[in-house]
Amino acid sequence: MTDLDSSGGADVGLLSPVSASPLVAALTGDRAVLAAILAVESGWAAVLEKAGLAPAGSAAVVASAADPGRYDLADVAVRAQGGGNPVIPLLADLRKQVAALDTSGIGAGKAVHASLTSQDVLDTALMLLAHNTVGAVLADVKRTTAALAALAEQHADTLCVGRSLTQHSLPYTFGLRAAQWFHGVAAAGRQLENLELPVQFGGAAGTLAAGTVLTERSHTTPFFLADSLASQLGLAAAPAPWHTNRLAVTSLGHTLAALLDAFGKIAADVLFLSRPEVAELAEPRAAGRGVSSAMPQKQNPVLSVLVRSAALQAPSLAARLHLAAANFNDERPDGAWHIEWPALRQLLSLALGAAGHVRELAEGLQVFPDAMRRNLDLAGPLLLAEGVSAAVAPLLEEKDGRSGKQQLQDVVDRTLQAPAAEQAAAYRKLLREALPPGLVTDLRLGELLDPAGYLGEAAGISRRILAAYPDFLPTASAETDANGARRG
């Protein structure tokens, strides 16, 4: 027998290394969920006292009782089976703590959970958990986009080969590739930044019946109390209870999945481009990273592997949220509500974990322009066949019933019959033979076969992308802290 480690047997991410970090645990772990539930109950007590609906001094007693350290997390989890959610047993414990701390006998217990239902508390707690996590995610997102923008500008003229359906397609620039990575992350980041995370309220059946009774002899309303709770917690106010209208949850899940999609695209590209036979990129090195248990020479692109693992998990989790939303029956749901919780929490964990890894990847990415040029040259002048056809085909007269474009396609087809090592010379020879003397000068043909001359608007596209997201550029990133999430 050995002693338990410091985790106490809790899930610390042993099988999910992408999200195994103290920050992820602190913001999305079970202890964070418990703290969010208690924060909602404490916030509600403060709202009631301020509205004159709870004895003076109640909020302070409840706030003291809502210290997460007072509660046995594992015990609450086991007892949650009795009512189907963790709010019920935690509420019982909270009431005991409030009674014990109410040494002046002010009746602070009247402020605990008055007119609320467990779904009000848990939905609001999960929105609060999301708000805190999204702030940390956005801090990493903006550092990532700052690094990608710098790569896009630094490598605006760095030639590489574009690939389509795994094959070389046209000349490209690494600057545009980095700008497109930036585009995906910044677009998803903007959606996440603008997302509203609303407070939940409604009472037992979403009619605010108990809240109406609570406020009928006061100068306030249940709606004012709900809006005040939103302000107290830093969440968005909601126009009505949303017990069975789950757009707030599915929108959050969709946006997190979209961000992980953008991360996954970067990871997939780096995984391919860092293969030894391609060798255009390499991940930043760190002691102990990328090692193999068997092969001492290995330098595995572990950051990209972890990020890709998160991206591949996200779609099914987001789909689970939609599945749940489509099955919310009656005015308060049964099991459909319950399957939301782990899916949403896992999406938050994956997004936060992956955001840190992709930030490190972007900030330390090694770029090898010489290797990019080497791979570009592998295709030879055939890579410019589209440009040659566009410029020269209109100048050719029809021959044997074949248009100028068809004649140039014949040149390509015949070139491809030659061994790969001979195709570059073959294309130049066959192309010159197909052109009438004097139609295209050697200088002009050289220009047409220069990869740098057939980049279209690559530089302009990059500039437009960066200009569309000024708040995700380096200067904006430097001003963003971990509390950058929109509060509504």
Side-chain angles (χ1 to χ4, degrees), residues 227-407:
D227 291 348
S228 297
L229 179 62
S231 179
Q232 177 81 15
L233 298 175
L235 297 175
W242 45 279
H243 287 159
T244 55
N245 299 319
R246 308 307 286 177
L247 186 61
V249 175
T250 55
S251 295
L252 175 58
H254 163 78
T255 306
L256 292 169
L259 180 62
L260 284 162
D261 290 345
F263 290 166
K265 162 59 178 169
I266 297 172
D269 280 351
V270 174
L271 286 168
F272 172 75
L273 295 171
S274 62
R275 289 172 179 262
E277 61 270 26
V278 181
E280 296 182 10
L281 299 175
E283 290 192 350
R285 291 195 176 189
R289 180 188 294 151
V291 297
S292 165
S293 66
M295 295 167 282
Q297 83 283 3
K298 292 289 290 296
Q299 284 293 316
N300 296 319
V302 176
L303 290 175
S304 298
V305 169
L306 294 178
V307 171
R308 189 164 189 256
S309 76
L312 293 177
Q313 293 176 72
S316 62
L317 294 168
R320 191 189 306 175
L321 296 177
H322 285 285
L323 177 66
N327 283 280
F328 265 52
N329 56 328
D330 303 325
E331 281 60 60
R332 292 277 305 286
D334 45 34
W337 179 46
H338 297 69
I339 70 167
E340 274 187 351
W341 315 335
L344 182 59
R345 198 254 292 268
Q346 191 173 356
L347 272 170
L348 288 165
S349 299
L350 291 171
L352 181 55
H357 294 306
V358 81
R359 169 190 53 75
E360 185 177 357
L361 175 64
E363 290 181 337
L365 189 66
Q366 300 178 69
V367 181
F368 304 116
D370 290 346
M372 292 179 179
R373 183 63 197 229
R374 179 198 67 218
N375 293 331
L376 173 67
D377 290 340
L378 287 176
L382 273 179
L383 201 66
L384 284 304
E386 179 192 70
V388 170
S389 180
V392 176
L395 306 178
L396 291 175
E397 295 182 359
E398 185 174 307
K399 182 179 180 180
D400 298 329
R402 299 185 65 74
S403 67
K405 185 173 183 179
Q406 290 172 322
Q407 294 173 48

Side-chain angles (χ1 to χ4, degrees), residues 129-173:
L129 185 87
H131 174 266
N132 295 335
T133 305
V134 164
V137 170
L138 284 171
D140 275 336
V141 162
K142 292 200 172 184
R143 285 184 58 180
T144 297
T145 55
L148 294 177
L151 286 171
E153 293 175 343
Q154 180 183 352
H155 293 282
D157 299 319
T158 300
L159 289 174
C160 63
V161 64
R163 297 173 177 88
S164 174
L165 279 69
T166 77
Q167 304 300 296
H168 290 187
S169 56
L170 291 175
Y172 207 73
T173 68

Side-chain angles (χ1 to χ4, degrees), residues 81-101:
Q81 297 177 65
N85 74 71
V87 175
I88 296 172
L90 184 57
L91 179 59
D93 293 348
L94 176 63
R95 284 183 166 133
K96 290 178 182 178
Q97 291 285 342
V98 169
L101 293 171

